Amino acid sequence: MSMSKKDRPSVALETVRRTELETLRVIAVAAFAQGLRDYGKRPDGIETIGWHERGCAEGSYLAIRADGRLAGGARVFDYGEGVFRIGSLFVDPALHGRGIGSRALAAIERRYPQASRWSLDTPALDARSRRFYENAGYVNVGSSRAERASDFRLIDYLKLPLLREIREADLFPGRRDASPWEEAGFALRQAARAVLLDADGRMALMRVTRSGCHKLPGGGIEAGEDVFAALRRELREEVGAGEIQLTDEIGMTAEYIAEYRLKQFSYAYAARLTGPLGVSALTAEEQGDGFALMWARPEEALHLMRSDRPNSLSGHFIRCRDLAIVRSFLEQSGSGDAWQRGGETHL
């Protein structure tokens, strides 16, 4: 059952106190009891007081409080250079369904503003945890091998730097945005997109005639796919790119489309074409939308996208989203200033 804003407890993080370790141990055992029943696993050692004492001694252990009450905990690891990892995050099962976990996760990310990259893992069979992290912007980047005696494996998740959040009011002044509570009920779509360069430094771009815009190649991540498998499949289908090399992470965008009750997270990567182009395999819908592949230098592609005048809601979101991705790519590659000056750059 969904709760109104006033029914949701306030959530705060504090460094764990030694006097709370046994209480946290009991909460952790209860929080991971379902996983132990379902697939015979829980985080190694979390049922022992030693696990909690080590976290306290290392300074990696945070207490989660809801309306002042101890509600759970989290281990957070700083690997330096903006790379952070969440080791375990748990909430008392008696308090589930009140939005404590999602707000605790957001509070953890705010606590470390120097973080540019977050990672974690969660059991592949734990559908509830996977939905939780995916709705918070984390994307599947691969998995461990299944153990011999069982099919147990862990899914690795990553959260890229946020390039842009886009809402309808950003595109259409005067239009009311959905509230955060409404957005929490939006369906989620995750997508993989690429700035794909050929050997001459030209960028693949899809002209979408029906919407009056250009877009980056890429599309939705299907069930069971990690982001890299999805990206390679989409580049093969839309561009005919059978052989590519991923060269860098660019970042992610978040679109909140109230009219469709949809939130879309797009994960963008830079890539190079390393083999000959094959034949694209556009879907009937893409063909109907007038998808057509073209190649342009990144600065030229940015100019085309800036000049677009979309004639549909989705077209406006595409333009805003992909402009943010290409601009970030140019900035990261050192070409942004040259483009602003009108100079030629070679990537």
Side-chain angles (χ1 to χ4, degrees):
M1 180 179 65
S2 61
M3 302 180 68
S4 66
K5 180 177 179 179
K6 62 183 177 61
D7 293 327
R8 293 173 179 259
S10 62
V11 172
L13 302 174
E14 293 180 1
T15 302
V16 163
R17 305 167 191 165
R18 295 195 64 83
T19 55
E20 299 174 322
L21 294 181
E22 176 57 23
T23 302
L24 283 166
R25 187 194 70 81
V26 172
I27 293 174
V29 168
F32 291 105
Q34 188 63 49
L36 189 61
R37 289 191 292 269
D38 289 346
Y39 39 82
K41 291 285 184 179
R42 58 188 169 197
D44 290 342
I46 202 167
E47 76 283 4
T48 68
I49 194 64
W51 186 96
H52 301 268
E53 289 174 339
R54 284 192 298 276
C56 184
E58 293 168 359
S60 62
Y61 203 174
L62 298 174
I64 300 169
R65 301 190 188 283
D67 287 344
R69 169 186 171 183
L70 186 61
R75 294 283 293 275
V76 180
F77 301 96
D78 179 357
Y79 293 146
E81 298 184 350
V83 179
F84 280 72
R85 185 171 182 84
I86 297 175
S88 295
L89 189 158
F90 57 91
V91 172
D92 188 338
L95 300 175
H96 282 180
R98 304 182 65 186
I100 295 171
S102 58
R103 279 182 292 154
L105 180 57
I108 289 170
E109 294 173 357
R110 289 194 303 270
R111 188 182 178 94
Y112 303 96
Q114 70 273 34
S116 59
R117 195 174 190 271
W118 285 94
S119 66
L120 55 88
D121 59 36
T122 198
L125 298 176
D126 190 345
R128 181 176 178 274
S129 289
R130 292 186 62 184
R131 283 194 302 271
F132 170 77
Y133 289 116
E134 289 167 5
N135 273 286
Y138 289 77
V139 68
N140 177 351
V141 293
S143 65
S144 65
R145 290 187 177 182
E147 296 181 359
R148 283 187 181 180
S150 69
D151 60 354
F152 179 82
R153 60 191 175 90
L154 293 169
I155 299 292
D156 292 316
Y157 278 92
L158 182 68
K159 189 169 187 178
L160 298 180
L162 181 63
L163 306 177
R164 180 74 192 269
E165 278 190 352
I166 311 165
R167 292 177 170 82
E168 290 180 28
D170 298 324
L171 306 175
F172 307 101
R175 184 172 296 192
R176 185 189 76 85
D177 277 332
S179 71
W181 317 108
E182 291 171 319
E183 288 179 355
F186 286 8
L188 171 66
R189 184 178 191 256
Q190 293 186 310
R193 310 193 187 279
V195 172
L196 175 66
L197 302 183
D198 67 7
D200 296 321
R202 298 177 306 163
M203 188 180 103
L205 199 61
M206 307 299 296
R207 170 67 181 172
V208 187
T209 304
R210 174 171 288 185
S211 294
C213 66
H214 296 81
K215 71 177 283 291
L216 294 175
I221 301 172
E222 296 180 353
E225 281 187 320
D226 62 46
V227 65
F228 305 121
L231 188 60
R232 292 179 186 278
R233 175 182 53 74
E234 287 288 341
L235 293 178
R236 186 170 57 252
E237 292 173 356
E238 292 191 354
V239 182
E243 299 175 36
I244 64 164
Q245 177 188 4
L246 299 182
T247 58
D248 205 358
E249 300 168 351
I250 299 176
M252 66 173 287
T253 60
E255 301 164 71
Y256 298 89
I257 311 175
E259 185 169 321
Y260 304 153
R261 293 191 58 79
L262 174 72
K263 61 181 175 183
Q264 177 169 246
F265 297 149
S266 293
Y267 305 91
Y269 292 83
R272 285 194 176 274
L273 186 66
T274 57
L277 282 181
V279 178
S280 61
L282 297 176
T283 66
E285 181 180 0
E286 290 167 342
Q287 293 177 35
D289 286 342
F291 275 37
L293 174 64
M294 60 178 292
W295 295 85
R297 295 198 62 78
E299 299 84 357
E300 297 166 354
L302 185 65
H303 177 72
L304 285 171
M305 296 163 73
R306 285 170 57 94
S307 301
D308 283 340
R309 296 295 179 264
N311 54 32
S312 67
L313 178 65
S314 60
H316 281 281
F317 272 93
I318 289 169
R319 178 180 181 272
C320 188
R321 175 195 72 214
D322 288 0
L323 273 172
I325 293 171
V326 175
R327 283 171 176 150
S328 182
F329 169 80
L330 288 169
E331 289 169 2
Q332 292 174 22
S333 63
S335 303
D337 291 342
W339 176 82
Q340 291 291 347
R341 294 194 303 269
E344 183 178 3
T345 59
H346 298 275
L347 303 182

